[in-house]
Amino acid sequence: MTPPMPPAAAPASDRTTLWGVLGIVFSVCCPILGIVFSVLSLLDARKVNKPPTLAYIGFAIAALNILGNIVWAATGHGFVFNRR
């Protein structure tokens, strides 16, 4: 006979991870939304004493995206109006 299997764990509502993953995903395409979701992840992580790693990753990607867009626009690649 095989030993009985332990009962499956109930799915947890882990909003910290959800907000963190959404923060990372949206930081790539829309950095403002990425920052909003990363802030939600950071606040929720502090509330439940979890590490806010995903929030920090979302902040970093959003910051790099914003800085990259600023550099891209400053070099004349971002605006059609400046072409002669």
Side-chain angles (χ1 to χ4, degrees):
M1 285 181 107
T2 60
M5 297 289 292
S13 61
D14 188 13
R15 291 187 313 180
T16 304
T17 304
L18 173 68
W19 297 137
V21 170
L22 287 174
I24 292 171
V25 169
F26 280 111
S27 291
V28 174
C29 61
C30 182
I32 303 301
L33 279 177
I35 290 172
V36 169
F37 284 119
S38 295
V39 166
L40 289 173
S41 176
L42 180 65
L43 293 176
D44 202 42
R46 287 183 179 169
K47 190 185 330 179
V48 295
N49 289 332
K50 290 183 71 174
T53 307
L54 293 176
Y56 293 149
I57 293 171
F59 287 134
I61 294 173
L64 289 173
N65 192 350
I66 290 170
L67 289 175
N69 285 330
I70 290 171
V71 169
W72 182 260
T75 57
H77 293 76
F79 298 107
V80 179
F81 302 116
N82 292 336
R83 305 223 185 239
R84 294 180 185 198

